[in-house]
Amino acid sequence: MDSRKQRVLEALIDDYIATAEPVGSRTLARKYGLGVSSATIRNEMADLEELGYLEQPHTSAGRMPSDKGYRYYVDEIMRPTRLNARDRERIRHAYHVRVRELHWFIHQTARLVSELTLYPSMVVAPPLAQALLVDLSFVPLGSGTVLMVLRTSTGMVENQTLAVPDEFDADKLWALAWDFTQEFRGVSLDELKNRILDPLQGDINRYRELWQLAFKWVTGRDGDDDKVSLAGPLNILNYPEFRDIEKVRRVLGFLETKTAVELVSRYFSDGVQVVIGAESSLDDIQDCSLVTATYRLHGSVVGHLLVLGPKRMQYNRVTSIVEAVSEELSRALHG
Amino acid sequence: MDSRKQRVLEALIDDYIATAEPVGSRTLARKYGLGVSSATIRNEMADLEELGYLEQPHTSAGRMPSDKGYRYYVDEIMRPTRLNARDRERIRHAYHVRVRELHWFIHQTARLVSELTLYPSMVVAPPLAQALLVDLSFVPLGSGTVLMVLRTSTGMVENQTLAVPDEFDADKLWALAWDFTQEFRGVSLDELKNRILDPLQGDINRYRELWQLAFKWVTGRDGDDDKVSLAGPLNILNYPEFRDIEKVRRVLGFLETKTAVELVSRYFSDGVQVVIGAESSLDDIQDCSLVTATYRLHGSVVGHLLVLGPKRMQYNRVTSIVEAVSEELSRALHG
DNA sequence: ATTTAGCACTCGGACAACGAGAGTGCTAAT
DNA sequence: ATTAGCACTCTCGTTGTCCGAGTGCTAAAT
C-alpha cells in the first residue's frame, strides 16, 4: 500500500461518501488532483480491490469501499476536522442550565448529537445495577400516595409515586427512609437484589409493607426504560441507502428495542470507537456504522454515547462531534 | 341508498380492509353471499361511485372506498364488535399496579393500545396549563441540589432536580414550600404565568432566588415534553400503503413532532371519534385515519387517546378497543 | 519500468413493444 | 329488474433492444 494507493482510496471514499454512487476511474481522475490518468487509477483500483479495500457491485460499475476499506480510511487516512465555531459554541453552551437531572442530560445530549451529525443518536445512562445506593427518601403526597426518591452514586435521582396501603405522616416516613438508608447505603443495587429481606423487627414492623414496596422498587429498577435516550431516528430516512422499507424497519427496530445498550457495553473501552458494518456482527445493522464514545462522572466511565449511520458516514466530522460532546458532558456532570 | 347498496358497500369495504387491493364485482359476488350476479353488483357499484362512496384508481381496476364511503361505513353500517376474552382481560388488568404516576398510566395506555390494535398510538396527558396547583414541595438532596415536586389537580406529579445557589436545610425548604403553596394553591398554572412575582418581603426575602427558580419551573412546564406518549410507531411499516418512504417520513414525522396534540384538542368532545383522511385537513396524514377517545379524571375529561392507521383501518375493532381502554383508564385514575 | 491511449467487452438501466389478466360498461336476452 | 355476453380499457410483468458507463488488456510512449 504505497502513498498513491492511499490517495486514490481517500479520494474514492470521499467521493462515495458524498454521492453514494460507485466511483469510476474517470471521475476520480477528473475531480481529484491526482496527477495521473484514469488508466493508471484503474490499475491502482484493481490492486486495491485485490487487496480487499474496494469492491464492485458488478463488472461495469465503479467501485465502492469495502468494510476493510472504511476501516483503513478511519484508522490510517482520515484526519480529524476541527469543528466550526458555530458547532463548538453550540456544544459549549448545551449544558448551561439549572436543571441537574441526569435524564435531562442524557436526553439533551442525544438531541444535540443527532442535530449536529444528522444521524440518529442514542445516549445510554449509567447502568443502575452498578450504582451504589446513596439514600432513599419518601415524600408524602396525601391521599395514600407517597413519592419515593432514590439517589445513587452515579448521580441518578430516580423517583416514583406509589399508592401505599396506609396513611403515613411525614415523621413516620422520614424514620423509615432513614432506616432504609442506614441499612443499605453504599450497597450496589445489583447486590441489593440478592439481599434477603430481613424480617423487620420492633418499631419498623408496622411499616413492613411500605418497606417491601421500597425494596422492590429500588431493586427492580433495571427494566431499561428511561435508561436510554434516542434522538433523531428519522434522520436515516434522508439517506438513499435506506430507500428500502425493509432496511428502515430493521434499523429503526434496532434503535427502538434498544439492543444497542447491550451492544455498546461490548465496545466499552474509553475514547471514541468506530464500528463498521459487519464488525458489529448484528444482522439488523450490517449496512450501518456506529461511532461510540464514553462519558465520565467523577473521573470514571459511567455511560455511552452512540451515533448510527450508513457505512458511508462522515467519519471525521462525526468522531469530532462525538468526542467534543462527550467531553463537554463529562465536564458538565462533574460540576 | 337502498339496503342492497349498503350490503355491497359493506362487503367491498370489508374486502378492501382485508386486502388493500381494489375490489372487483366478481370478487364481491363470489366471496360474499349477496345473492346476485356480478353484473348486478357492477351496476350497484357504478351507482355507488356516482354517489361518491367509491372511487376507481383507473378504468379497469376494481373500486375502493372514498373518504365519504368510509364515513358512511363508520357512521351507518359498522357494528361494534365485542372484543375477545383475551383482549378484555388484558385491558382489565392493565392498571393493576401500585404505581400511581400519571406518566406511567399514559405510557402504559399508549403501549397497550398499540399492541392491541397493531397501529401506532398516542396518549395525551392532561394539559398542565389548565391544572390547578395543589402543592409544591422541596426535597433537599445535598450538595446544592434540590428536588422540586409539584402536584396538580389533574393528579399529575411532576418533579425535577435543580441546582440551587445556596445550601438549604430541610426546615428552610419546608417553610419556603409552605409559603409557595399558600400563595398559589388553587391557581391554574396558566393563570399563574400572568401573576407578577411579588417582591418578597421579610423572612422570605432570603430565599428569593430559590423562590424564583420554583416559580419559573412551575410556570414553564408547558413545553410539551413528556406530555405525550407515543407507542408502536413502527407498526405502520407493516401496512402496504406505507411502502413508500416519503409517506413513512411524513407520518412518522407527524407522530414525532407531536402535532397530534394540537389536532386532538379540536376533536375534543367526549366519546370515541373517527377522523377519516382529508377530514383532518392535515397534509401529512391525508392517507390516514385516526380514532380518538377521551379519558376522565374525577368525572371530567382531562386527556385524549389516539390511534393512527391507514384509512383502511379496522374501524370496528379499533373503536371497541379505544373505548374499552379509555373507560378502564378513567376507572383506574379515579381509584 | 511506468504511464497512458486506445479499444473491445460487459453489464445494468431505461425504454418500447407486447400479451395476459382483471375489470368495466353496455346491450340484448331472460 | 336481473343477468349473460362481449368489446373495450388499462395496468403490470415480460421480453428485447439500445445506450452509456466503466472495466481490463494491449501496445505505444515516456
Side-chain angles (χ1 to χ4, degrees):
Chain A
M1 171 70 87
D2 56 32
S3 95
R4 190 171 67 188
K5 281 198 181 41
Q6 275 204 12
R7 269 177 306 158
V8 170
L9 182 58
E10 179 177 10
L12 189 143
I13 294 187
D14 285 343
D15 201 80
Y16 188 74
I17 287 178
T19 65
E21 299 287 337
V23 188
S25 55
R26 232 179 85 84
T27 315
L28 241 36
R30 230 185 318 117
K31 292 207 325 202
Y32 302 82
L34 295 170
V36 289
S37 78
S38 68
T40 309
I41 294 181
R42 260 198 306 282
N43 291 327
E44 296 288 32
M45 285 166 79
D47 291 353
L48 285 167
E49 178 164 8
E50 192 154 2
L51 291 168
Y53 296 108
L54 299 181
E55 46 197 33
Q56 243 178 330
H58 60 259
T59 332
S60 75
R63 292 194 169 76
M64 40 194 286
S66 66
D67 285 10
K68 187 176 169 187
Y70 283 121
R71 169 54 62 200
Y72 189 85
Y73 177 83
V74 167
D75 290 344
E76 310 288 340
I77 302 180
M78 170 182 95
R79 272 183 311 280
T81 44
R82 186 166 164 74
L83 297 176
N84 66 39
R86 191 196 176 78
D87 292 344
R88 287 207 310 277
E89 275 310 281
R90 178 108 188 261
I91 294 172
R92 193 191 311 286
H93 294 317
Y95 303 108
H96 282 183
V97 233
R98 267 279 154 62
V99 181
R100 298 303 308 164
E101 205 130 349
L102 190 52
H103 286 323
W104 182 89
F105 280 95
I106 301 303
H107 184 78
Q108 179 78 351
T109 304
R111 255 197 24 203
L112 176 66
V113 172
S114 84
E115 283 175 14
L116 288 174
T117 60
L118 301 178
Y119 300 116
S121 163
M122 278 176 113
V123 179
V124 184
L128 262 175
Q130 289 157 43
L132 312 183
L133 187 140
V134 169
D135 66 25
L136 180 73
S137 41
F138 297 119
V139 184
L141 297 174
S143 64
T145 56
V146 164
L147 179 71
M148 305 202 301
V149 182
L150 168 70
R151 277 203 305 152
T152 70
S153 60
T154 55
M156 254 4 217
V157 180
E158 299 256 315
N159 45 258
Q160 176 141 44
T161 319
L162 279 192
V164 291
D166 305 310
E167 285 281 345
F168 289 88
D169 65 32
D171 288 344
K172 282 187 194 166
L173 286 173
W174 192 87
L176 188 60
W178 173 260
D179 286 338
F180 195 100
T181 302
Q182 287 306 309
E183 182 84 13
F184 297 125
R185 163 167 292 163
V187 177
S188 82
L189 300 196
D190 213 23
E191 197 190 327
L192 199 58
K193 226 175 289 182
N194 302 322
R195 289 281 180 100
I196 291 147
L197 199 51
D198 299 354
L200 308 168
Q201 316 107 338
D203 210 25
I204 289 300
N205 221 354
R206 293 181 297 151
Y207 312 134
R208 172 189 292 276
E209 194 160 359
L210 180 54
W211 181 284
Q212 281 176 342
L213 277 177
F215 188 84
K216 202 166 142 197
W217 176 64
V218 170
T219 58
R221 324 246 58 254
D222 55 339
D224 57 5
D225 269 356
D226 284 13
K227 288 209 311 193
V228 175
S229 195
L230 167 65
L234 301 186
N235 277 334
I236 64 157
L237 298 181
N238 296 326
Y239 302 98
E241 30 270 279
F242 297 98
R243 201 88 48 76
D244 175 22
I245 204 86
E246 270 315 311
K247 273 191 194 164
V248 171
R249 191 209 303 274
R250 284 163 147 240
V251 173
L252 290 184
F254 171 81
L255 290 174
E256 207 187 37
T257 58
K258 296 167 183 176
T259 329
V261 180
E262 187 222 341
L263 166 70
V264 139
S265 55
R266 237 183 294 161
Y267 297 92
F268 196 79
S269 55
D270 202 1
V272 177
Q273 309 267 319
V274 177
V275 183
I276 296 161
E279 291 176 1
S280 76
S281 67
L282 269 159
D283 277 355
D284 287 342
I285 53 166
Q286 288 290 297
D287 302 321
C288 300
S289 285
L290 327 152
V291 177
T292 71
T294 50
Y295 61 89
R296 299 155 164 277
L297 178 69
H298 306 132
S300 55
V301 171
V302 292
H304 299 262
L305 188 162
L306 182 158
V307 176
L308 185 136
K311 288 200 287 200
R312 181 182 68 85
M313 193 193 266
Q314 288 196 42
Y315 291 102
N316 51 5
R317 179 171 163 80
V318 172
T319 48
S320 303
I321 289 172
V322 151
E323 184 169 9
V325 171
S326 68
E327 271 169 24
E328 190 64 35
L329 174 59
S330 301
R331 205 171 303 137
L333 288 177
H334 196 81
Chain B
M1 172 69 91
D2 57 30
S3 96
R4 191 172 65 187
K5 281 199 181 42
Q6 274 205 11
R7 268 178 307 159
V8 170
L9 182 58
E10 178 175 11
L12 189 142
I13 293 187
D14 286 343
D15 201 78
Y16 188 75
I17 286 177
T19 65
E21 298 288 337
V23 188
S25 55
R26 233 178 83 84
T27 316
L28 241 35
R30 231 184 319 115
K31 293 208 324 205
Y32 301 82
L34 295 171
V36 289
S37 77
S38 69
T40 309
I41 293 180
R42 254 193 315 278
N43 291 328
E44 295 289 31
M45 284 165 82
D47 292 353
L48 284 167
E49 180 166 6
E50 193 154 4
L51 292 168
Y53 296 108
L54 299 181
E55 46 199 33
Q56 244 177 329
H58 56 85
T59 332
S60 75
R63 293 199 170 70
M64 40 195 287
S66 65
D67 285 9
K68 185 176 172 188
Y70 283 121
R71 171 53 61 199
Y72 189 87
Y73 177 83
V74 167
D75 290 345
E76 309 287 342
I77 302 179
M78 170 183 95
R79 272 184 309 281
T81 43
R82 188 167 161 73
L83 296 176
N84 67 39
R86 190 195 178 79
D87 292 344
R88 286 208 309 278
E89 275 309 283
R90 179 108 189 261
I91 295 171
R92 193 189 312 285
H93 295 317
Y95 303 107
H96 282 183
V97 233
R98 267 281 154 60
V99 182
R100 300 302 307 166
E101 203 129 351
L102 190 52
H103 286 322
W104 183 89
F105 279 95
I106 300 303
H107 183 81
Q108 179 77 352
T109 303
R111 255 198 25 204
L112 177 66
V113 171
S114 85
E115 283 175 15
L116 288 173
T117 60
L118 302 179
Y119 299 116
S121 163
M122 277 175 116
V123 179
V124 183
L128 263 176
Q130 289 157 44
L132 311 183
L133 186 142
V134 168
D135 66 25
L136 180 72
S137 41
F138 298 118
V139 184
L141 296 174
S143 63
T145 57
V146 164
L147 181 72
M148 306 202 300
V149 183
L150 168 70
R151 277 204 305 152
T152 70
S153 59
T154 55
M156 249 12 210
V157 179
E158 298 256 316
N159 46 253
Q160 176 141 42
T161 318
L162 279 194
V164 291
D166 306 310
E167 285 282 344
F168 290 88
D169 66 30
D171 286 345
K172 282 186 193 165
L173 286 172
W174 191 88
L176 187 61
W178 172 260
D179 287 337
F180 195 100
T181 302
Q182 286 307 309
E183 182 82 15
F184 298 125
R185 162 167 293 163
V187 178
S188 81
L189 300 196
D190 214 22
E191 197 190 328
L192 199 57
K193 224 174 294 182
N194 302 323
R195 288 284 179 102
I196 291 148
L197 199 51
D198 298 355
L200 307 170
Q201 316 107 336
D203 211 25
I204 290 297
N205 222 351
R206 295 180 296 149
Y207 312 136
R208 172 190 293 277
E209 193 160 2
L210 180 56
W211 179 283
Q212 281 175 342
L213 276 177
F215 188 85
K216 201 165 143 199
W217 176 64
V218 169
T219 57
R221 324 248 58 255
D222 55 338
D224 58 6
D225 270 356
D226 285 11
K227 290 208 312 194
V228 175
S229 194
L230 167 65
L234 301 185
N235 278 334
I236 65 156
L237 298 180
N238 297 326
Y239 302 96
E241 30 271 277
F242 297 98
R243 201 89 46 78
D244 175 23
I245 205 85
E246 270 315 310
K247 273 191 194 166
V248 170
R249 190 209 302 273
R250 284 162 147 241
V251 172
L252 290 184
F254 171 81
L255 290 173
E256 208 187 36
T257 56
K258 294 166 182 174
T259 329
V261 179
E262 187 222 341
L263 167 71
V264 138
S265 54
R266 236 183 296 161
Y267 296 92
F268 196 79
S269 55
D270 204 0
V272 176
Q273 309 267 319
V274 177
V275 183
I276 296 161
E279 290 175 3
S280 75
S281 67
L282 268 161
D283 277 354
D284 287 342
I285 54 166
Q286 289 291 296
D287 302 320
C288 299
S289 284
L290 327 152
V291 176
T292 71
T294 50
Y295 61 89
R296 298 155 165 277
L297 178 69
H298 306 133
S300 55
V301 171
V302 291
H304 299 263
L305 188 161
L306 181 158
V307 176
L308 184 137
K311 287 201 287 200
R312 181 183 69 83
M313 193 193 267
Q314 288 195 41
Y315 292 102
N316 52 5
R317 179 171 163 80
V318 172
T319 48
S320 303
I321 288 172
V322 153
E323 184 168 11
V325 170
S326 67
E327 272 170 22
E328 190 65 35
L329 174 60
S330 301
R331 205 171 302 138
L333 289 177
H334 197 83

